[in-house]
Every structure is written in structure tokens, then in C-alpha cells.
Amino acid sequence: MKDFLKYTFASLLGNLLGLALMVTMGVGGLIFLVMAAATQDSGPQVKDKSVLVFDLSLNITDADPEYNTSELFQKALAEDSLNQIKLRTILEGLEKASQDDRIVGLYLKGTSNPTSTGLANSTEVRQALEKFKESGKPIIAYDLDWTEPEYYLASVANTIVVNPLGSVEMNGLSSEIMFLTGALEKFGIGVQVTRVGKYKSAVEPFLLKQMSSENREQTQKLLDDIWGKYITTVSPSRQLNASQLQQIADGQGILMAPEAVKSKLVDKVAHFDEVIVDLKKLTGEPEDEDKMFRQISINSYAKMPEVIKVNRGDVNSKNKIGIIYAEGSIVDGEGVGDQIGGDSLAKKLRKLRMDNEVKAVVLRVNSPGGSATASEIIGREVELLQAQKPVIVSMGNFAASGGYWISMAASQILAEANTITGSIGVFGVLFNIQDIANENGVTWDVVKTGRYANINTVSRPKTPEELARIQKVVDAIYERFLTKVSESRDLPKSKVVEIAQGRVWSGVQAEKIGLVDQIGGIQDAIAAAAEQAKLEDDWKLEEYPEGETFEQQILETFIGGESTQASSTLDPITLEFLKLREELAQLKALNDPRGIYTRLPFNLQID
């Protein structure tokens, strides 16, 4: 209940604190904060024979969201932003640590809370862990209970440890969808839908009370692809084969500590204090001293200047490879926080196109889609950019529907095997509040000069004629989507019609059917950009947006950078509340001027 209240009131307190900060301190006070931050120590220091600590509870994102002051305070109060790190920060930190003589090993610290790190990002991190292991430095992983997302990374470790009362989850993947139809009916909120594509299931939570056969079919295929990749990746690290892991998933699912050792999923059973003793052996510290082992967190290590320079190319070069991030739901206008604003991203792409020093661009897409109008605006800028310089798309966890729309014009598209992409389809969702309003004594009347003058009203359901007009627009946008995929990917229109229909595909399947060019991560995309621009080694990397915002610097000053507080386990009520909050938050992103969207199912979540 404590966590439930924390998340409930964080938004209100964030806005009040943001306002109080501006009112009480004024411009002079804010300048003082920035100057104070600038005079702090030079940064983290790495002591000789230190262990790098990677907290698996970290939420690994592509980029830092651009929040305003009140939103930053909300995140801090809810402890959302304190547990976040960028993907390239992790990759660069692990690569540098593998070569750093001061780092003697890596400790993977398990978590009690489910991580929201996506499947594709985890794949890139796992590959970086494997490279670290190849350096000869040991990796030790410990947790009370190993969940499958954590274990995917921990399986690389030389030694996997579980608590004596702990367990290991190896029960396969599932996707549970929340349907809101009954609630909407109960509260008198009407929903009408226009769509194209029999697999376009984004509207099902508002219309049905269970999955359609088409949605069940595509979701099953997607889970089978992702799970198959999971067990074929993990099994060799544990000297098992994929069929053995499948037998464990079917026959046991959750293994207590002794069973996990017997099944070769973990190497030993121990308490945390015993793990500390093992880590002290690496650092050469006395085992009997009552203190922690010599360590540095990956968050702090990544802030060191020599780590920041990793994979940044030649800093003296005048040739730039730009990385621009498209992460979140695609919305019309500027967008806020973790949204992709059609106008704001188009403006950034235009700036890169007009910068003669930028020779190639990597567009990192991690989006389930959203506004069809905003997707078209962004997609047009990608086309114009690609006509002047190479554009390489690196697909993250999602690059589907509108996320695919903004990707398809690129010179080359890379995706991870477990990236979720495709979903080439269009829908419109139209809410009305007639019933709930009438039940509470509210009615409307209207005067108009044309049959369709108030077609956008929410005071009543759409008439059949109005629905037909809206469906015609949806059909036209879908036809444009199909045509542009055919032209951009050099595929016959008939083939695109076959693989579209709103169906989602894994990265593996997307490569087979021609929606992506190859399997690879963001580092591969950077290499491809340099190759296509014929830069060889004469380039430097620049990320857009660059660095932290002014407001983020203020927040970091207040919270003191890194948090040392142990994360608490969220209770079931809070977890369900957060799921519902996430569902409802998606509705705020429905701001397309025509009410038409190219988007994945709102609540596609794989556990």
C-alpha cells in the first residue's frame, strides 16, 4: 500500500515542487545550483582491484527522455528515473571495463522487482557481457530469485549463485492482455472502431473480452520465435541443449535452489555474505573485515571520461555520424516526456540533413507506433534525409506499425532477432460519452451547416454515414502505407499485402520476408553507417539530443546522483495499479488530428 500511495501522489507533488522551485529560488537560485554542480569533484574514481557492479534492476533505455521540471520531480518521487541507464552507456562501460586493469571482475546483482528492459536491448547487453567474459575476467551473479529476464543475462556468468531459499524461473513466456470492454460498458463510455488488417488487434481491448483467433495466432507465433531464441541462446552457456531447457519449462517451471543446481541452471547455493567473501577474493581484501568489497557501479564507471570516449570514433575528425533516437509512442505535435513528437523529431532530422558535417545518420527506433499523421511527417523527413546521406535504422525492442512507417525509407534496416516489428495496418478508435452523460443529466443539442459538421463530437456515437467516411480515410492511409512499404523495400505490392494485415513479426521473421535487411544491434548500425558513407576510420559520433537537459542537471544536483538505497519489492496491488496506469497513459497519446493510428496493441507485454 505504501508503494501504491507513492505512485498515486507523485504526480501531484512533482508539479507542486517544480512550481515551488521556480517561485522560491528564481533565476538567480537556479544559476547558483548550476554553479554549485560545476564545482563538485571531477567525478568517480576507480580504485585498483575493483569489481564492476551491474545492478540488473536498471531499466535500460535508448535515450534519456526530455522531461520538463515537474515531470522530472514526479519521476524522482516515484523512483522511476533513479533506476535508468542508457543502452550505449552499458555497452561502452562493459567494453572499457574488459580492458581496464583496475577492474578485476564483474558482479551481476539480481533484483526483487521486474525490470522493464526490453528484449532487444537485453540481447545487446548479453552480447557485451559475453565479450567481457572473453577477456578472462570472472563474472559472478547472485540473486534471491532468478526470473527469466534476469537469468537471460546472468546465464553468461562464470558462477551463478542463488539463495538457499531462492528459486529459478524457467517456465516459458506468456502475454496476458487486459480488456477494458466491460469497464467501458459499465461506465457508459461508447467505442466505435474503423480498421484495416485482420491482425490489427490494437482495438481489441476496447471491443472484446478475450483475444480474437487472429490475434491469438500471431501472438503465439511471436512468443514461439522469441522463446526459441531464448533457449537456444541460454543453453550453450550452461552446457545444456535447448530441448533440456524446454523439458524444464514444461515439467518444473519454478525450481527451488537444490533443483536448480541439479538441473545445471545455477552453480552454487549461498547467502549474500558468502558471495561477498568470494568477491573479496577477487579484490584481495581480508575476508573477515565487516565491510563490502571494493567496487564501482556501472552507472558511476560510465561517467568517467575515458569510458565516454569508447566507440566515439576520432574526436578530431570533422566528419560526423549522428545518432538520433525515436523512443516511445508517436504523437502529433511536439510530444512530451517519453513520447515521439512528429514535429519535434522531424525538426531534428531536418537539422541533420542540413548539417554538411553530418555524413551519415543512425536512427534508433524503439516505438510501437501511434499517430498516423505524425508517422507520415517523420517518414517524409527520413526520405529527404536518405536522399542526401546514408540513413541506417537500428530497431530496438519495438519498431512496429508507425515505428515501421518511420523506418522503412532508410538505406538499411537492422533489427535484433527478438525485435517486434511489422504490424502494417491502420485503425481509428472513436469514443463517446453519451450514455454516462445522459445518466447524470447532461444532454447536448446542435446547430450545423453541413451533415458532417460535428463529426468529431464525443457527445454521441457516429452515424453509419460518418463511420463510412472515416473508414474511407483509414482505407486510404492503409493503401498509402502498403505502397510506401513496397517502394521503400523494393517488394511487390502483392507480397506486401500478404505480410501486412496488421500482423506483428519477430526480427528473425522480418528478415526472412524482407521487412529488415539484417540482424544486428546499434553498434552494427554505426559500423554500417561509416561503411556506406565511405568514411573508413575518419569519423566521430554525436548523439542527438546531446547530453542532459538543464532541468535534469538541476534534478541530479538535488538527488545527489547515484542512489545507494536497496530497491524494495513492489506488492501485487501496486504492480496491477502500475499496469493499469500504463494502459490509461496510452490513451493520452491518442492525439492524431484525424483519430487514425498505426500502432501495436496497446498492452502487448511479454512476461
Side-chain angles (χ1 to χ4, degrees), residues 490-510:
D490 194 23
L491 293 170
K493 184 77 170 288
S494 58
K495 173 69 173 177
V496 177
V497 171
E498 180 185 336
I499 63 178
Q501 298 293 324
R503 180 160 187 164
V504 295
W505 302 95
S506 67
V508 171
Q509 292 298 322

Side-chain angles (χ1 to χ4, degrees), residues 419-468:
T419 294
I420 298 173
T421 187
S423 192
I424 300 168
V426 184
F427 71 91
V429 57
L430 311 164
F431 295 97
N432 73 82
I433 57 172
Q434 184 182 66
D435 288 350
I436 190 173
N438 290 171
E439 288 174 6
N440 289 278
V442 178
T443 59
W444 290 265
D445 203 352
V446 63
V447 176
K448 55 187 180 180
T449 61
R451 177 185 296 181
Y452 303 111
N454 70 333
I455 193 172
N456 293 321
T457 183
V458 296
S459 65
R460 60 170 176 79
K462 303 293 181 282
T463 66
E465 294 80 11
E466 288 171 333
L467 282 176

Side-chain angles (χ1 to χ4, degrees), residues 324 342-355 377 381-382 384-385 388-389:
I324 189 165
D343 292 343
S344 57
L345 182 55
K347 190 184 302 180
K348 293 171 185 175
L349 291 167
R350 197 175 304 124
K351 184 178 179 181
L352 291 176
R353 172 162 55 91
M354 299 173 68
D355 188 340
I377 290 171
E381 284 300 328
V382 174
L384 295 174
L385 180 61
Q388 294 190 17
K389 55 194 75 175

Side-chain angles (χ1 to χ4, degrees), residues 529-554:
E531 181 180 355
Q532 288 208 19
K534 300 178 180 179
L535 298 177
E536 297 183 347
D537 295 327
D538 184 17
W539 55 271
K540 64 181 176 183
L541 200 64
E542 288 201 4
E543 294 184 275
Y544 301 87
E546 300 177 50
E548 295 178 322
T549 66
F550 174 66
E551 293 148 324
Q552 286 171 319
Q553 293 176 34
I554 293 174

Side-chain angles (χ1 to χ4, degrees), residues 33-43 553-554 556-561:
L33 282 175
V34 175
M35 292 177 64
T39 57
Q40 290 179 351
D41 59 64
S42 58
Q553 293 176 34
I554 293 174
E556 275 203 350
T557 304
F558 270 97
I559 64 177

Side-chain angles (χ1 to χ4, degrees), residues 180-190 209 435-436 439-440:
L180 304 177
T181 307
L184 294 173
E185 291 173 352
K186 179 179 179 180
F187 292 110
I189 299 174
K209 296 183 179 180
D435 288 350
I436 190 173
E439 288 174 6
N440 289 278

